[in-house]
Amino acid sequence: MAIPILPALSLPESELEVSYILASGPGGQNVNKVATAAQLRFDAARSPSLPERIRVRLLELAGTRATREGVIVITARRFRTQIRNREDAIERLVALIREAAHRPAFRVATRPGRAARQRRLDGKAHRASIKRTRSARFED
C-alpha cells in the first residue's frame, strides 16, 4: 500500500522499516513489559520514490535524524499503543518529506536606492539636531 505525500508523490510502505522498542512514559506496569515505542527507518539515500531534489533537501532537513548512510530514523513514543505510535512516526516522516518538497522562495538581494539612503541620513541629522537643542547651555 502506498502512503500519499503529494498529489504526484507517494511512498510505498515496503520502503519503511518499523520496529518496536521499550518506551518510557505513560503505560503503568506495561511500560516495562511491552515494546510500544515505534522506531521508523527510511532509507532516503536509496529510495527510488523520491526525486533527487527532494532527497537532497530531505537529508538536510532531517539533521541528526539522518545517519551517515542516508537512513532517516524517527522514534515515536508519545502514545500508549504500538499502532498509534507507528501512525505518528509515519505522519512525522510525511510532514518532513512535504517540507523538503516545498521550494523556498528565491530572494534577490537588493540594495537601498540613493533617495532612500538620503532620507535615512536626513532623519538621523534631524534627530541629532533635536537632541542638540535639548541641552541648552546657559553661559553667564
Side-chain angles (χ1 to χ4, degrees), residues 38-83:
Q39 189 174 57
L40 182 136
R41 299 175 74 80
F42 172 63
D43 193 353
R46 292 171 200 66
S47 174
S49 306
L50 295 177
E52 187 62 29
R53 177 185 66 81
I54 295 176
R55 178 180 297 121
V56 170
R57 187 149 154 72
L58 176 63
L59 290 172
E60 280 177 20
L61 288 174
T64 58
R65 291 175 287 192
T67 64
R68 285 193 184 109
E69 294 80 33
V71 177
I72 296 175
V73 180
I74 296 176
T75 305
R77 56 169 53 106
R78 288 193 311 188
F79 301 98
R80 291 174 64 155
T81 63
Q82 283 184 349
I83 296 168

Side-chain angles (χ1 to χ4, degrees), residues 20 26-27 34-38 76-88:
Y20 299 99
V34 182
T36 55
R77 56 169 53 106
R78 288 193 311 188
F79 301 98
R80 291 174 64 155
T81 63
Q82 283 184 349
I83 296 168
R84 191 64 193 104
N85 280 327
R86 181 180 190 277
E87 291 169 357
D88 183 42

Side-chain angles (χ1 to χ4, degrees), residues 96-127:
L96 191 64
I97 295 173
R98 281 189 182 136
E99 188 179 346
H102 176 74
R103 288 189 181 182
F106 182 71
R107 185 190 179 281
V108 178
T110 58
R111 299 175 68 186
R114 186 183 307 150
R117 284 195 300 261
Q118 189 59 46
R119 280 192 304 271
R120 181 179 137 267
L121 293 176
D122 290 345
K124 287 167 73 80
H126 180 69
R127 292 298 308 164

